[in-house]
Amino acid sequence: MGFSKQNYLIFGIILGAIVLRLFAFSFNYFTHGNVSENAKAAVSVASSRTLRVAEPSDEPYWYSTREYGGRYLDLNAPLWPIVGGILMKLGGTEASEVNAFLLFRAMSFIAGIGVVILGYLVGRRIVNSSAGVFLSAVLGFSYILIDYSGNGAFYVTQALLYLIWVYIAAGNVRFRILILSALSGVGWLLNYQAVVMILATLSLLFLE
């Protein structure tokens, strides 16, 4: 069975998205913002099984940051550095911020490709294959999604979870609410902004 023109088109979109994300991966070679904090926390997970940011501070906390060797995560959700720390440990690599950042970039790169593929599947399920191709192209060639697919931040993974949620919610899947609830919990542990997934799941449960 041969490929149709649409199959070749979606294949080309995915291939182009991969190439652009490889450029983003190679150009994002320094940590910044939340990525830096999560890298430090991942090192803490891998080396001492804690979630501490190794930055002794004189700012007032309810605990001594100098005594504990840093501060605990307070704004970021814990899942991203936990996964990074576990993967560093399982991979046998040195627990360092450089290795954590490299791992985060690889994780965001994989999630970025997943966003493009899920975009096609979501569009096809909700509308039709042409809509899936269009959505995949928009997601595949969006500058901000390309950048986030190589900078080690968790936001593109959050976007992937959103698309998975929509794909499952729009289908006739057994135990749908249970799966969506678990997915929403994962999203919330990744980024507290993903509380919207919990609210959406509750709304879907109410509507059913």
Side-chain angles (χ1 to χ4, degrees):
M1 183 177 179
F3 274 18
S4 66
K5 290 183 179 180
Q6 194 173 81
N7 292 139
Y8 283 115
L9 183 58
I10 189 64
F11 179 77
I13 291 171
I14 294 173
L15 183 60
I18 291 174
V19 171
L20 291 173
R21 281 154 178 77
L22 284 173
F23 279 114
F25 183 92
S26 62
F27 291 147
N28 281 285
Y29 52 85
F30 59 92
T31 59
H32 54 280
N34 290 343
V35 179
S36 178
E37 179 171 287
N38 282 326
K40 292 173 183 176
V43 171
S44 178
V45 171
S47 59
S48 60
R49 299 180 183 178
T50 60
L51 274 170
R52 288 197 296 260
V53 179
E55 288 182 348
S57 172
D58 293 327
E59 296 181 15
Y61 289 91
W62 59 270
Y63 55 88
S64 171
T65 57
R66 295 189 180 279
E67 178 182 348
Y68 283 93
R71 60 178 175 82
Y72 291 100
L73 286 178
D74 44 17
L75 295 178
N76 289 345
L79 185 59
W80 194 247
I82 287 176
V83 172
I86 290 175
L87 290 178
M88 270 198 297
K89 193 73 173 179
L90 292 176
T93 59
E94 179 188 358
S96 68
E97 290 181 43
V98 172
N99 288 335
F101 179 47
L102 179 62
L103 187 58
F104 286 155
R105 287 161 62 201
M107 289 161 60
S108 62
F109 173 80
I110 294 171
I113 302 305
V115 164
V116 180
I117 297 172
L118 258 294
Y120 170 72
L121 296 176
V122 167
R124 186 179 66 176
R125 170 164 285 186
I126 295 177
V127 186
N128 55 37
S129 295
S130 296
V133 170
F134 175 76
L135 181 57
S136 180
V138 170
L139 297 174
F141 300 112
S142 164
Y143 170 78
I144 192 167
L145 288 178
I146 292 171
D147 182 54
Y148 276 125
S149 296
N151 69 2
F154 50 67
Y155 296 110
V156 73
T157 304
Q158 182 181 345
L160 178 62
L161 291 177
Y162 286 163
L163 287 171
I164 296 173
W165 191 99
V166 173
Y167 182 77
I168 294 173
N172 186 19
V173 181
R174 192 179 182 186
F175 305 119
R176 182 174 63 165
I177 295 298
L178 181 61
I179 296 172
L180 293 176
S181 298
L183 194 63
S184 300
V186 171
W188 188 77
L189 288 172
L190 178 70
N191 188 359
Y192 298 133
Q193 296 172 355
V195 67
V196 66
M197 297 174 69
I198 299 175
L199 299 177
T201 302
L202 291 174
S203 299
L204 187 61
L205 177 62
F206 176 77
L207 292 173
E208 288 188 343

